[in-house]
Amino acid sequence: MRIRDYIPNQHGAWAMLLVPFLFGMLASTPGAIHALLFACWLLIYLFMFPLLQWIRLGKAKAAARYRKPLLLYGALLVPAALILVLLRPEVLSMALLFVPLFAVNALYAKRKRERALLNDIAAIVQFSLMVLISYKLGGGTDLRLAAELFLISTLYFIGTAFYVKTIIRERNNKRFYFYSVAYHGMLMLLALWLLSPAMQIAALILLARAVWFPRTGITAKQSGMLEIVYSVIVLAAVWMTYA
């Protein structure tokens, strides 16, 4: 048994797993159903990781390595998901939104191009859909609010994808650095136009991050640790604005 076969190595995905879920929960009414929802959400993520690796490597290569993680997480997921669907049947129809986005991830995995920006965006939209489900199960009824939180989650994490690439794979790519800064500048303008002072401060911090840190030689590990701080800042801004 190798732990790395059971625990995803995509560190940024953990924030994407948690933050959209909390967006929806905090904007609605937190309850016991959210604990069950998050358990299912976590198990889905843990299940999808070895599944995508299986698709990437091909059946023969991946069978021995990823069969056990798939069986373990599948065995835990099925009863938890069944209970959730029995309690809140509307989850099943909402879950269909994930299917085409996961198909994009599977296609990129098959082509061994998981780090492509479009694949990142498909995954980000997929994770951000949890805002809608978490909000709905918390009794939320304001569709405009749910859509706004979904867009904030999506736009924030797309910016993070741009920024992280300027730290790692596109470290010396001046054009990509410009794209990242321009994107964060656009978010800053949108926040000034449409959002609360708390969200404007968060957007300014994210813009400063995109401008400054790629110039400092910051390592991927250091950047990953700081992303926890930025996620908390954005989450706090959302809580102050919408809770």
Side-chain angles (χ1 to χ4, degrees), residues 15-125:
M16 289 196 293
L17 186 80
L18 185 60
V19 170
F21 171 82
L22 291 176
F23 274 13
M25 185 181 77
L26 293 174
S28 59
T29 303
I33 194 67
H34 283 106
L36 178 58
L37 175 63
F38 186 74
C40 291
W41 184 224
L42 176 60
L43 288 169
I44 288 170
Y45 173 57
L46 293 173
F47 180 82
M48 291 305 177
F49 172 73
L51 178 59
L52 287 172
Q53 296 306 308
W54 192 309
I55 293 171
R56 182 176 70 87
L57 295 174
K59 184 175 181 180
K61 293 182 180 179
R65 183 171 179 180
Y66 292 109
R67 180 185 292 114
K68 289 182 179 179
L70 279 170
L71 291 174
L72 172 63
Y73 294 132
L76 294 172
L77 173 60
V78 169
L82 181 60
I83 294 170
L84 180 62
V85 169
L86 289 174
L87 291 173
R88 302 298 295 268
E90 64 268 32
V91 170
L92 194 58
S93 59
M94 297 177 74
L96 295 176
L97 296 171
F98 292 84
V99 174
L101 294 165
F102 178 75
V104 173
N105 294 152
L107 178 62
Y108 274 96
K110 184 69 174 178
R111 294 177 176 177
K112 297 180 173 58
R113 295 185 58 211
E114 299 97 320
R115 303 302 182 185
L117 182 60
L118 286 178
N119 187 51
D120 290 341
I121 292 173
I124 287 165
V125 174

Side-chain angles (χ1 to χ4, degrees), residues 3-235:
I3 296 297
R4 64 183 180 179
D5 294 341
Y6 288 79
I7 305 298
N9 59 358
Q10 301 162 327
H11 304 298
W14 292 103
M16 289 196 293
L17 186 80
L18 185 60
V19 170
F21 171 82
L22 291 176
F23 274 13
M25 185 181 77
L26 293 174
S28 59
T29 303
I33 194 67
H34 283 106
L36 178 58
L37 175 63
F38 186 74
C40 291
W41 184 224
L42 176 60
L43 288 169
I44 288 170
Y45 173 57
L46 293 173
F47 180 82
M48 291 305 177
F49 172 73
L51 178 59
L52 287 172
Q53 296 306 308
W54 192 309
I55 293 171
R56 182 176 70 87
L57 295 174
K59 184 175 181 180
K61 293 182 180 179
R65 183 171 179 180
Y66 292 109
R67 180 185 292 114
K68 289 182 179 179
L70 279 170
L71 291 174
L72 172 63
Y73 294 132
L76 294 172
L77 173 60
V78 169
L82 181 60
I83 294 170
L84 180 62
V85 169
L86 289 174
L87 291 173
R88 302 298 295 268
E90 64 268 32
V91 170
L92 194 58
S93 59
M94 297 177 74
L96 295 176
L97 296 171
F98 292 84
V99 174
L101 294 165
F102 178 75
V104 173
N105 294 152
L107 178 62
Y108 274 96
K110 184 69 174 178
R111 294 177 176 177
K112 297 180 173 58
R113 295 185 58 211
E114 299 97 320
R115 303 302 182 185
L117 182 60
L118 286 178
N119 187 51
D120 290 341
I121 292 173
I124 287 165
V125 174
Q126 195 173 168
F127 278 97
S128 294
L129 285 172
M130 180 49 61
V131 172
L132 308 180
I133 298 177
S134 181
Y135 180 72
K136 176 70 173 177
L137 265 61
T141 57
D142 188 338
L143 295 180
R144 180 176 178 177
L145 172 58
E148 191 169 320
L149 289 170
F150 165 76
L151 287 173
I152 289 172
S153 175
T154 301
L155 292 174
Y156 162 57
F157 283 114
I158 289 175
T160 297
F162 271 109
Y163 163 70
V164 169
K165 287 186 185 300
T166 65
I167 298 297
I168 306 174
R169 292 179 176 272
E170 305 292 344
R171 176 180 288 271
N172 297 313
N173 188 331
K174 293 182 179 180
R175 180 178 294 180
F176 202 90
Y177 171 78
F178 171 79
Y179 293 155
S180 176
V181 172
Y183 179 88
H184 283 86
M186 178 198 71
L187 292 187
M188 182 74 247
L189 292 175
L190 285 174
L192 289 171
W193 180 32
L194 298 171
L195 300 178
S196 69
M199 295 301 301
Q200 292 167 11
I201 292 171
L204 179 59
I205 292 171
L206 296 176
L207 174 59
R209 172 198 67 171
V211 171
W212 174 250
F213 279 111
R215 296 173 174 267
T216 65
I218 188 174
T219 66
K221 183 178 180 179
Q222 291 169 333
S223 176
M225 293 175 66
L226 284 172
E227 284 308 304
I228 298 173
V229 177
Y230 299 129
S231 294
V232 171
I233 290 171
V234 173
L235 184 60

